[in-house]
């Protein structure tokens, strides 16, 4: 886990009861359905879960980058005290790339193939700062050097197709950092990279977080990355957060059967197994989800404990300890002295 000495308990981003739905011919898909979490100044906050659980839709909702048929239908997203959902598009343009930046999963498709990478960084600087082009170019070269690209002056004059996947991701990070954002959203930043380059990119992000003091939302399906990088983590399943804790608490005592399954499925180098542990089934249909807990059809704890309530009623997200919350009927009677709360009222 990275050095977290520079982050505070002050909230930079607060999301409450966020609902983002996709209105399709087949029906309404509730991709994000009542999500609550906060990100503190200077911390790395992990958002994990299988593909299709709502992680990327949550990030796009924050930046209001959703295209039809997707739409934010409820909730609030407060950034530095201001609700992003109440802002005009002109106001959001001043936030995007400036105060909040994002690194997307695929670096090469995110770069314009007909412009030199230096010019693409320059454009971001010119949009948000009153700089002349020579000064912006100088800053672009400095940023490429900051993210570890060798011979940055020459490479700034290259086109995206002249970069490897790892180098292209470094360019994306340089662009994201160009305006020194308060919050960086990294959506699966190492998915398409080999293991060695993954480690380099993660080390770079941790170093830059420490140096610049920015907060990071790290979106990933890889719990190994979360264990190494994050300060706190939220686990998503079928559009909802099912567990949230400090990274230490989550790995030492995972409470939700889904989280337990994810951790158990991580291969261990010095451990021999006949076969890898898996979570049976697939993420439920978001248009026609099962009644009760959405994880119930895949949950071995439900079967082992013969819990019928799991398929009848959906549990609330309850506070188990000051740094640990879970959404599961197994722990409904284990909450703190305060009464159980609804999702929109859950303490952060």
């Amino acid at each position: 886990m990275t050095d977290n000495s520079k982050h505070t308990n002050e909230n930079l981003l607060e999301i409450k009861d966020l609902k983002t739905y996709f209105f399709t011919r087949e029906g309404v898909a509730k991709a994000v359905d009542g999500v609550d979490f906060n990100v503190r100044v200077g911390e790395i906050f992990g958002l994990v879960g299988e593909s299709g659980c709502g992680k990327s839709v949550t990030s796009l909702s924050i930046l209001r980058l959703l295209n039809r048929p997707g739409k934010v239908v409820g909730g609030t997203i407060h950034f530095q005290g201001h609700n992003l959902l109440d802002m005009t598009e002109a106001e959001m343009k001043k936030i995007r790339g400036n105060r909040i930046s994002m690194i997307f999963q695929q670096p090469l498709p995110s770069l314009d193939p007909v412009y030199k990478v230096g010019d693409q960084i320059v454009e971001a600087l010119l949009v948000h700062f009153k700089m002349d082009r020579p000064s912006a170019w100088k800053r672009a070269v400095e940023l490429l050097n900051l993210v570890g690209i060798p011979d940055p002056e020459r490479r700034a004059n290259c086109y995206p197709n002249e970069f490897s996947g790892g180098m292209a991701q470094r360019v994306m990070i340089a662009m994201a950092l160009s305006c020194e954002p308060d919050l960086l959203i990294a959506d699966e930043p190492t998915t398409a990279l080999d293991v060695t380059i993954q480690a380099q990119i993660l080390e770079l992000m941790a170093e830059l977080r420490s140096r610049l003091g920015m907060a990071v939302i790290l979106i990933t399906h890889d719990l190994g990355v979360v264990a190494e990088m994050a300060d706190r983590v939220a686990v998503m399943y079928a559009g909802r957060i099912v567990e949230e804790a400090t990274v230490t608490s989550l790995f030492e005592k995972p409470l939700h059967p889904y989280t337990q399954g994810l951790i158990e499925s991580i291969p261990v180098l010095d451990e021999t197994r006949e076969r890898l542990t898996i979570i049976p089934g697939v993420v439920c249909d978001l248009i026609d989800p099962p009644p009760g807990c959405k994880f119930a059809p895949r949950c071995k704890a439900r079967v082992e404990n013969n819990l019928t309530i799991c398929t009848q009623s959906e549990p609330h997200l309850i506070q188990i300890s000051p740094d640990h919350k879970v959404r599961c009927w197994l722990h409904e009677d284990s909450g703190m002295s305060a009464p159980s709360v609804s999702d929109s009222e859950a303490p952060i």
Side-chain angles (χ1 to χ4, degrees), residues 51-62:
S51 297
C53 72
K55 307 185 302 295
S56 294
V57 174
T58 298
S59 68
L60 293 173
S61 299
I62 294 170

Side-chain angles (χ1 to χ4, degrees), residues 315-318 320 326-335 340:
H316 297 302
L317 188 66
I318 60 171
I320 298 297
V326 67
R327 183 193 301 276
C328 181
W329 286 114
L330 289 173
H331 304 283
E332 192 72 18
D333 297 327
S334 304
S340 298

Side-chain angles (χ1 to χ4, degrees), residues 198-208 228-229:
Q198 282 185 32
Q200 292 175 2
I201 294 296
L202 293 173
E203 183 179 356
L204 171 64
M205 289 179 60
E207 177 189 340
L208 293 172
E228 180 182 348
M229 293 282 293

Side-chain angles (χ1 to χ4, degrees), residues 63-274:
L63 285 170
R64 287 174 45 184
L65 290 174
L66 283 168
N67 295 319
R68 291 182 179 180
K71 183 180 181 181
V72 176
V73 298
T76 59
I77 304 172
H78 280 93
F79 176 71
Q80 296 179 328
H82 302 283
N83 187 4
L84 299 181
L85 299 180
D86 288 340
M87 290 186 176
T88 65
E89 182 59 26
E91 290 172 328
M92 276 304 300
K93 285 182 178 179
K94 295 178 181 179
I95 296 287
R96 294 190 202 107
N98 186 11
R99 303 270 50 89
I100 306 176
S101 289
M102 185 166 179
I103 305 170
F104 295 92
Q105 292 186 36
Q106 301 293 336
L108 286 173
S110 301
L111 293 167
D112 194 318
V114 300
Y115 288 96
K116 297 174 182 178
V117 297
D119 288 328
Q120 296 187 52
I121 299 174
V122 164
E123 287 305 312
L125 291 167
L126 294 179
V127 166
H128 294 290
F129 295 106
K130 293 180 179 179
M131 302 177 71
D132 56 49
R133 189 166 285 274
S135 297
W137 181 266
K138 181 180 179 181
R139 178 59 178 157
V141 173
E142 290 173 353
L143 287 164
L144 292 176
N145 183 61
L146 178 69
V147 298
I149 290 182
D151 195 3
E153 181 72 56
R154 181 181 66 84
R155 297 294 275 170
N157 283 286
C158 293
Y159 292 92
N161 68 302
E162 299 178 72
F163 288 77
S164 66
M167 286 293 106
Q169 193 63 286
R170 288 173 185 264
V171 171
M172 289 299 300
I173 294 174
M175 292 180 66
L177 298 179
S178 61
C179 297
E180 299 185 1
D182 298 301
L183 175 64
L184 175 67
I185 302 174
D187 188 359
E188 302 277 10
T190 60
T191 295
L193 308 178
D194 65 53
V195 175
T196 303
I197 303 301
Q198 282 185 32
Q200 292 175 2
I201 294 296
L202 293 173
E203 183 179 356
L204 171 64
M205 289 179 60
E207 177 189 340
L208 293 172
R209 184 282 287 257
S210 179
R211 189 188 309 180
L212 302 176
M214 65 184 178
V216 179
I217 297 178
L218 179 61
I219 298 172
T220 181
H221 63 273
D222 189 337
L223 279 173
V225 169
V226 168
E228 180 182 348
M229 293 282 293
D231 302 305
R232 292 187 303 129
V233 57
V235 180
M236 285 192 73
Y237 183 80
R240 293 209 157 191
I241 289 177
V242 297
E243 188 162 3
E244 181 185 332
T246 62
V247 71
T248 301
S249 180
L250 188 88
F251 280 88
E252 287 183 353
K253 192 177 180 181
L255 298 178
H256 198 281
Y258 178 60
T259 309
Q260 294 166 0
L262 290 176
I263 293 175
E264 289 170 0
S265 66
I266 300 174
V268 180
L269 288 177
D270 58 352
E271 182 179 311
T272 302
R273 305 183 193 175
E274 290 187 6

Side-chain angles (χ1 to χ4, degrees), residues 332-344:
E332 192 72 18
D333 297 327
S334 304
M336 298 173 67
S337 56
S340 298
V341 291
S342 68
D343 299 322
S344 60

